[in-house]
Amino acid sequence: MSLDTAKVRSIAELARIEVADDQLPHLAGELSKILTFVAQLAEVDTDGVQPMTSVAAMTLAMRDDVVTDGGYPDKILANAPEAAEGFFTVPKVVE
Amino acid sequence: MAYLLPGDSGDWEVVIGLEVHAQVVSNAKLFSGAATLFGAEPNTQVSFVDAGMPGMLPVINSVCVEQAVRTGLGLKAAINLTSVFARKNYFYADLPQGYQISQYELPIVGNGTLTIDLPDGSSKAIGIERLHLEQDAGKSMHDQHPTKSYIDLNRSGVALMEIVSKPEMSSPEEAGLYVTKLRSIMRYLGSCDGNMQEGSLRCDANVSVRPKGATELRTRCEIKNVNSIRFVQQAIEYEARRHIEVYESGGTIGQETRLFDSAKGVTRSMRSKEHAHDYRYFPDPDLLPLVLDPAMVERIKAALPELPDEKKERFVRDYGLSTYDAGVLVADKASADFFETVAKGRDSKMASNWVTGDFFGALNATGRTVEDPPVSAADLGAMLDLITDGTLSGRLAKDVFALMVETGKPPAVLVAEKGLKQVTDTGAIDAAIQAVFAANPDKVAEVKAGKDKLIGWFVGQVMKSTGGKANPAMLNELLAKKFKE
Amino acid sequence: MSALTDLSIAEAAARLAKGEFTAVDLTRAHLARMDAGRRLNAFITETPDLALAQAAESDARRAKGQAGTLEGIPLGIKDLFCTEGVQTTAASRILEGFTPQYESTVTANLKKAGAVFLGKLNLDEFAMGSSNTTSAFGPVENPWKRKSDPAAKLVPGGSSGGSAAAVAARMAMGATGTDTGGSIRQPAAFCGITGIKPTYGRCSRWGIVAFASSLDQAGPMARTVEDCAVLLSAMAGHDPKDSTSAPMPVPDFARALSGDIRGLKVGIPVEYRPQGLSDEVAKVWDLGVEWLKDAGATPVEISLPTTRHALPTYYIIAPAECSSNLARYDGLRFGRRVEGKTLDDMYRKTRAAGFGREVRRRILIGTYVLSAGYYDAYYAKAQKVRRLIADDFAAAFQKVDVILTPTAPTPAFAIGENTDDPVTMWLNDVFTIPTSLAGLPGLSLPAGLSADGLPLGLQLIGRPFDEETVFRVAGVMEKAAAFTARPQEV
């Protein structure tokens, strides 16, 4: 499975990671190698096999509808790189 | 009669599907124990889970699950005993985890139906495609600062039900009726409070058009986050016309996501959604499949309240109301309950008229609600009794009602205080007529000579002189007799 | 002083109870070892003042008769566990300075048991790696040296390289690790110590920086099987805050060390002896089989046919899950932010500056395999192959009670070797990955030394939630191996 630099650029964009143009070819090479390696799974016969969605053979436990959390805005904002008036702040988004 | 938009080349049909996001009524959030109340100080209803902190994990809230089942049952839909939560991956400032926990291939609720009642009295069944549970995002505010957007995560993680209709609506009116009915059903069930101003209910409208009679579906555009029924209708109409204009000028419609600018009444493309999102859905590995106990579903089904459609049928059948009147009363459960209290043991048509007329009018005028009314159902009923037993004429009752709204006092007290009992004593009425006749001999002569339209004037004068209390029927009878003398 | 740091946890606990020394003494001894061994770079954050304060509190508790199972025992904590008030980095620039306002469930459990925390241990960035060379805070050095080339710096294995090195170098009596594809077992083997990845769901994942949610498991690393058993009993337990946490009671695992494995059937999978398996590794495996036979167990040849597809399966599932789990590292609410002109610009720059190359590779692979058009061929397919792998083990466990394999295909290699090709590096985990995919408990213990004087480990794999049998067999093998060798450093 071979990826070209355009494809790598679009994947990097989906993942919001900036990749310098000069790094793209090498990265494309690495990723292509990895994809070739994992693509060997195609030869495994999995007809009728159910995907494994969880290792634990349990069902989803539910919790009661009681307020047990929240109410500590200082802790929530404690690690914020930037905050103002109780809000997180980011570069302005234009819709 | 079908809704058609005229174009240069002929008429066009509109094809509409709605995706409604309804905030679930619950104390805590879908996957965290933080509170869900509206209007709290920023970031005060946020747990570490809601903030997407490293190492945090979701745990599902049982009431949110029940509310989704309840709503599905209210929409006569199939409940999927096994459903799966999937991650919808994208980046945005109000999405702390960088993904929304939603449901994709296996939602909790499948196909259902919602019936809308059209003004001409007919009904139309609109198909429901599915209902699934998902997390709401936080709120980003862009007007607080010149160069920064402010993020509040209070709403992040609140449970939403996304209800997807089939593309079976064909006019802005039908879309409006659909949302109204859906809102009503959820309010009956108590699963969503339907408060669109607070954002408890938001609509995305999918709109496309096609030439009248065509069967294939053309490209649709999605108008996101419309927060009033009126705007939904306006947005759909604008968008449909936009599509027609594009097609008729030889262009094509590309699939896009748009916003409705309610100030200008137009839709416009969302800049942030230029390329189609690849959400890379996959089952959330932090959550196991949700498996519902059939007994739980049965329990919810057995405890469902009577829903609007059933209640309407019962009102028509048991109270003899018209479909239209019944429809007005059941739109809101509190109104329907109010009506039934008033109508119990009384003339249901009279009760219906007073509730839908003067009472609803008073609610509008005072800005009060059925849940917190200016006049109680008991008091309104008591007033109707006073009409039935002849104490009040219909006209006097209106005065009494107005006083009840103003003072909150029961009718009997007001009648006693203001001496508003109607006058049914023929002698008294006669005397009043005599007095008016005596004061206006020329007019009496004119009536006797054939000027019938002056009779109304006499009625008014006598009524005025009795302080409005003369029994109208008696007054008319005695006046007619008097003119014949 | 050095004698204190040579003790096992069990020995130290007994002597603390007798009052032979105090928790403060014990902690001081380990802090001195940390000073002496700083060159190994096993720690990202050392917390000596906190440790001494905790040790003093521990002595006070003991005086009141309130001693827990790990009272006063100094441990190192892999810097993937969020520790309240103490920087937690996941060995990444993107979390530099992040100070959690909450404590992970596993470390809270250890605190409740009375343990003392010496600091946060180095690891491969976001737990992705098998050599601890991808940490943003520099590689960790294995305290073991090659006889033939003592100057060469060797890797401790990964991702829990700092944990393994610290325990092997006697800087900590035990450490927490996490294991997603072998990250406890392989470094334990490379550093000549014992480590166990318990059954998936045995330990809570709440508060552990997530890498691959369906694979991550916390586990103990220590110098003896008994110590790992004591640590696991304290760490494990159902956590209602983790939906994948198993509602299973936690046995006193140390009680499983009866020494009696007569009649037990031990599976020897043919697929784990491929062409080209190193002679040394094959030899120590055979030796392990002999020990078990001597103890009354019966080796049974088994086949796990889907084994050869485990690596590609893992390298689709783990990157896919990590690409989504690491989306939250965006500079908005915590961690390092690189300013941008727009929100997306901020994301792109922050993540480019914050993530190392291995992490970036895995995120991009993960993003690709989940993207439109590829999901069925890769992710959905891998989840099906995963089930086949799990079924292989389930079938084998109809015939055997435990499975014995080598832990790693080679002993520790030098820092800088094997780095060019990501796939070659991944082959380090070939024996440990299948166990992770199946969610089974897997333990590694040191079985011998290579010709060049480096530790070689053997792995025991058990049935789901049957850590007791794994511990029991490991205890017998430990006795037979009589591994007393120490790293040259120590």
Side-chain angles (χ1 to χ4, degrees):
Chain A
M1 184 70 238
S2 184
L3 299 183
D4 60 14
T5 55
K7 187 68 184 170
V8 177
R9 200 182 272 116
S10 81
I11 298 168
E13 177 53 26
L14 268 181
R16 295 296 187 275
I17 303 177
E18 190 173 80
V19 179
D21 283 342
D22 59 1
Q23 286 186 12
L24 284 173
H26 180 71
L27 192 51
E30 284 184 339
L31 297 178
S32 298
K33 231 192 247 177
I34 293 168
L35 287 172
T36 306
F37 172 68
V38 299
Q40 59 173 277
L41 279 196
E43 62 186 58
V44 183
D45 181 6
T46 52
D47 279 343
V49 179
Q50 284 291 82
M52 190 152 169
T53 50
S54 79
V55 162
M58 322 166 340
T59 53
L60 191 61
M62 304 201 274
R63 46 167 245 280
D64 291 337
D65 184 29
V66 185
V67 174
T68 55
D69 215 339
Y72 39 79
D74 293 339
K75 291 191 185 182
I76 294 294
L77 292 161
N79 282 285
E82 215 180 86
E85 303 173 62
F87 294 88
F88 296 99
T89 57
V90 296
K92 198 199 258 281
V93 179
V94 185
E95 287 272 308
Chain B
M1 196 172 67
Y3 175 86
L4 295 165
L5 290 174
D8 300 333
S9 53
D11 286 341
W12 294 81
E13 294 175 355
V14 187
V15 179
I16 302 155
L18 292 179
E19 286 168 22
V20 172
H21 290 89
Q23 239 172 54
V24 173
V25 169
S26 67
N27 297 317
K29 297 182 178 179
L30 182 55
F31 291 113
S32 96
T36 57
L37 298 167
F38 180 80
E41 287 297 300
N43 294 305
T44 54
Q45 289 178 176
V46 179
S47 72
F48 296 121
V49 176
D50 304 321
M53 293 293 183
M56 291 298 99
L57 297 170
V59 182
I60 200 165
N61 178 330
S62 62
V63 163
C64 296
V65 173
E66 288 172 9
Q67 294 284 46
V69 171
R70 187 170 285 125
T71 308
L73 291 170
L75 294 171
K76 316 279 184 268
I79 305 298
N80 294 326
L81 293 179
T82 300
S83 65
V84 174
F85 287 95
R87 294 189 185 177
K88 179 179 182 182
N89 299 281
Y90 65 96
F91 285 88
Y92 199 59
D94 63 9
L95 195 68
Q97 291 153 145
Y99 59 85
Q100 174 199 39
I101 303 179
S102 178
Q103 296 190 295
Y104 186 56
E105 287 176 332
L106 274 177
I108 187 170
V109 172
N111 284 177
T113 322
L114 182 147
T115 306
I116 55 174
D117 309 304
L118 298 160
D120 68 358
S122 64
S123 294
K124 182 173 175 183
I126 307 292
I128 302 284
E129 183 65 50
R130 56 185 270 154
L131 178 157
H132 69 253
L133 281 168
E134 62 181 28
Q135 295 176 309
D136 204 347
K139 267 216 191 102
S140 22
M141 283 148 22
H142 313 296
D143 313 309
Q144 318 295 108
H145 190 280
T147 56
K148 298 196 194 295
S149 289
Y150 280 22
I151 314 295
D152 171 17
L153 297 178
N154 279 347
R155 208 181 58 183
S156 162
V158 169
L160 290 178
M161 293 179 289
E162 179 172 330
I163 302 151
V164 182
S165 83
K166 298 195 177 175
E168 294 174 357
M169 285 162 271
S170 17
S171 70
E173 179 178 55
E174 285 182 9
L177 289 169
Y178 174 90
V179 178
T180 305
K181 188 61 165 293
L182 180 57
R183 181 178 174 276
S184 173
I185 290 172
M186 290 192 295
R187 281 169 59 83
Y188 263 68
L189 294 170
S191 61
C192 173
D193 69 19
N195 187 330
M196 294 182 86
Q197 280 111 321
E198 287 181 359
S200 309
L201 200 69
R202 300 166 334 234
C203 297
D204 296 344
N206 291 297
V207 183
S208 69
V209 299
R210 61 187 174 198
K212 175 179 161 198
T215 49
E216 93 286 359
L217 290 170
R218 293 196 180 193
T219 309
R220 60 181 164 82
C221 290
E222 184 185 18
I223 310 163
K224 284 200 83 65
N225 281 335
V226 191
N227 62 3
S228 89
I229 293 173
R230 194 164 59 92
F231 292 159
V232 167
Q233 293 173 310
Q234 284 177 9
I236 291 171
E237 183 170 350
Y238 176 86
E239 186 62 15
R241 289 183 189 279
R242 188 183 75 83
H243 285 212
I244 293 167
E245 214 179 283
V246 168
Y247 285 129
E248 293 200 329
S249 59
T252 51
I253 291 285
Q255 181 166 19
E256 21 164 41
T257 307
R258 300 172 74 85
L259 283 180
F260 181 62
D261 181 338
S262 55
K264 299 201 182 101
V266 304
T267 65
R268 53 184 171 76
S269 197
M270 282 180 84
R271 250 187 271 179
S272 58
K273 311 238 176 184
E274 274 151 17
H275 7 259
H277 274 284
D278 181 352
Y279 292 119
R280 288 157 281 134
Y281 285 98
F282 72 105
D284 193 326
D286 289 330
L287 294 165
L288 304 166
L290 178 63
V291 175
L292 302 177
D293 180 2
M296 178 261 252
V297 177
E298 279 313 305
R299 183 172 43 84
I300 294 175
K301 195 170 189 177
L304 285 178
E306 185 184 40
L307 289 174
D309 289 346
E310 284 93 61
K311 203 184 280 288
K312 191 175 84 171
E313 274 170 42
R314 181 168 66 80
F315 277 18
V316 168
R317 192 180 64 237
D318 294 353
Y319 293 104
L321 299 181
S322 70
T323 312
Y324 177 78
D325 286 345
V328 172
L329 288 168
V330 305
D332 181 57
K333 182 170 187 294
S335 303
D337 291 345
F338 188 94
F339 162 74
E340 286 207 87
T341 309
V342 174
K344 188 166 181 165
R346 299 187 180 101
D347 178 333
S348 54
K349 186 69 187 157
M350 186 197 295
S352 165
N353 287 343
W354 274 93
V355 171
T356 60
D358 296 70
F359 177 72
F360 280 176
L363 289 185
N364 276 336
T366 59
R368 300 273 287 272
T369 62
V370 186
E371 289 87 350
D372 174 38
V375 173
S376 72
D379 281 350
L380 180 54
M383 197 196 80
L384 296 187
D385 292 339
L386 293 176
I387 298 175
T388 308
D389 74 12
T391 308
L392 292 174
S393 64
R395 194 196 169 291
L396 273 177
K398 284 197 185 284
D399 292 345
V400 171
F401 184 75
L403 285 170
M404 284 163 73
V405 172
E406 200 185 301
T407 66
K409 293 184 185 172
V413 169
L414 289 167
V415 164
E417 270 179 21
K418 314 262 181 190
L420 289 169
K421 218 166 134 66
Q422 82 178 326
V423 177
T424 49
D425 171 7
T426 48
I429 298 177
D430 214 54
I433 293 173
Q434 288 276 70
V436 173
F437 273 29
N440 304 278
D442 42 331
K443 288 206 166 68
V444 175
E446 283 185 73
V447 173
K448 287 194 175 163
K451 200 167 184 189
D452 283 347
K453 61 184 178 171
L454 272 180
I455 296 177
W457 183 87
F458 275 93
V459 171
Q461 290 299 302
V462 175
M463 204 42 109
K464 206 160 84 170
S465 75
T466 61
K469 290 185 278 190
N471 179 301
M474 271 183 189
L475 198 176
N476 283 320
E477 201 186 307
L478 289 170
L479 196 59
K481 236 203 278 185
K482 265 260 154 343
F483 277 128
K484 288 209 175 77
E485 279 169 12
Chain C
M1 268 303 190
S2 57
L4 285 182
T5 55
D6 280 337
L7 296 174
S8 71
I9 292 174
E11 285 165 355
R15 298 218 208 160
L16 281 165
K18 289 209 209 107
E20 283 180 29
F21 47 81
T22 63
V24 172
D25 293 333
L26 195 55
T27 293
R28 272 201 217 285
H30 286 85
L31 292 174
R33 284 287 319 137
M34 283 161 65
D35 274 340
R38 198 161 283 119
R39 197 196 79 243
L40 300 179
N41 200 29
F43 283 84
I44 292 177
T45 303
E46 296 178 26
T47 55
D49 295 337
L50 272 178
L52 287 168
Q54 287 166 13
E57 283 165 21
S58 174
D59 286 329
R61 278 194 297 272
R62 188 182 295 279
K64 286 196 246 165
Q66 292 163 0
T69 56
L70 291 169
E71 198 58 58
I73 301 297
L75 305 173
I77 304 298
K78 183 176 185 179
D79 204 14
L80 203 61
F81 291 77
C82 287
T83 43
E84 189 170 353
V86 175
Q87 181 187 237
T88 300
T89 67
S92 179
R93 290 258 164 262
I94 215 164
L95 276 178
E96 203 169 1
F98 171 61
T99 307
Q101 303 293 306
Y102 47 90
E103 184 83 29
S104 79
T105 298
V106 164
T107 52
N109 287 348
L110 288 169
K111 280 198 167 160
K112 256 186 275 189
V116 169
F117 293 171
L118 297 165
K120 305 305 290 298
L121 294 165
N122 207 343
L123 61 149
D124 278 306
E125 188 183 1
F126 278 104
M128 300 182 205
S130 320
S131 61
N132 214 143
T133 53
T134 68
S135 165
F137 300 92
V140 172
E141 210 190 302
N142 192 330
W144 292 83
K145 298 279 186 214
R146 286 175 177 155
K147 280 207 296 237
S148 64
D149 181 10
K153 297 190 188 192
L154 305 181
V155 303
S159 63
S160 311
S163 304
V167 170
R170 274 80 174 155
M171 291 192 268
M173 302 200 94
T176 61
T178 63
D179 190 312
T180 304
S183 291
I184 285 175
R185 294 161 284 161
Q186 185 252 27
F190 276 19
C191 290
I193 64 167
T194 302
I196 178 170
K197 177 199 82 67
T199 311
Y200 183 85
R202 182 57 96 177
C203 289
S204 167
R205 292 185 299 115
W206 195 89
I208 300 176
V209 175
F211 157 24
S213 314
S214 74
L215 295 158
D216 293 344
Q217 254 314 267
M221 301 172 76
R223 294 189 291 274
T224 69
V225 172
E226 181 182 21
D227 284 357
C228 282
V230 172
L231 284 169
L232 186 60
S233 285
M235 289 166 72
H238 177 243
D239 183 4
K241 300 202 295 287
D242 174 357
S243 296
T244 60
S245 169
M248 305 279 295
V250 182
D252 179 355
F253 289 117
R255 281 176 174 275
L257 302 172
S258 64
D260 184 0
I261 58 166
R262 286 169 300 173
L264 217 69
K265 300 214 194 41
V266 181
I268 312 294
V270 303
E271 291 82 4
Y272 283 57
R273 194 184 294 257
Q275 286 279 55
L277 179 66
S278 117
D279 283 341
E280 284 190 311
V281 171
K283 218 167 64 172
V284 84
W285 191 7
D286 291 337
L287 197 52
V289 175
E290 288 310 308
W291 295 334
L292 292 175
K293 275 182 10 199
D294 290 344
T298 314
V300 177
E301 195 182 84
I302 57 169
S303 173
L304 302 168
T306 324
T307 299
R308 74 180 201 282
H309 298 298
L311 226 64
T313 301
Y314 176 85
Y315 279 106
I316 288 172
I317 294 172
E321 293 180 5
C322 103
S323 71
S324 180
N325 284 332
L326 269 66
R328 64 189 64 196
Y329 301 101
D330 57 10
L332 203 151
R333 288 145 292 116
F334 50 81
R336 201 199 203 203
R337 177 190 295 194
V338 176
E339 289 305 330
K341 293 187 289 276
T342 64
L343 181 69
D344 278 337
D345 201 32
M346 180 191 96
Y347 287 154
R348 291 185 202 106
K349 291 189 155 59
T350 294
R351 290 160 65 80
F355 291 138
R357 280 170 190 253
E358 181 66 20
V359 169
R360 183 178 71 177
R361 252 196 300 270
R362 298 201 194 190
I363 290 175
L364 293 177
I365 289 293
T367 305
Y368 178 85
V369 303
L370 288 176
S371 67
Y374 301 109
Y375 178 87
D376 284 331
Y378 290 101
Y379 190 77
K381 183 79 177 178
Q383 289 288 41
K384 290 181 183 178
V385 179
R386 183 176 186 174
R387 180 170 294 283
L388 291 177
I389 292 169
D391 288 349
D392 278 358
F393 278 105
F397 281 121
Q398 298 284 328
K399 302 198 297 195
V400 302
D401 305 301
V402 76
I403 294 171
L404 177 72
T405 77
T407 305
T410 69
F413 46 88
I415 294 177
E417 271 173 27
N418 295 359
T419 49
D420 287 338
D421 181 5
V423 176
T424 307
M425 181 64 88
W426 293 352
L427 287 173
N428 282 299
D429 293 325
V430 67
F431 295 139
T432 50
I433 274 177
T435 311
S436 300
L437 289 169
L440 302 170
L443 177 151
S444 177
L445 75 154
L449 292 175
S450 73
D452 213 355
L454 296 176
L456 295 168
L458 286 177
Q459 175 179 231
L460 288 162
I461 305 168
R463 292 188 175 97
F465 299 104
D466 190 18
E467 289 85 1
E468 284 159 292
T469 300
V470 171
F471 277 126
R472 185 174 308 121
V473 179
V476 167
M477 292 189 70
E478 180 182 60
K479 192 140 175 260
F483 184 88
T484 52
R486 302 160 67 95
Q488 295 74 355
E489 271 297 296
V490 185

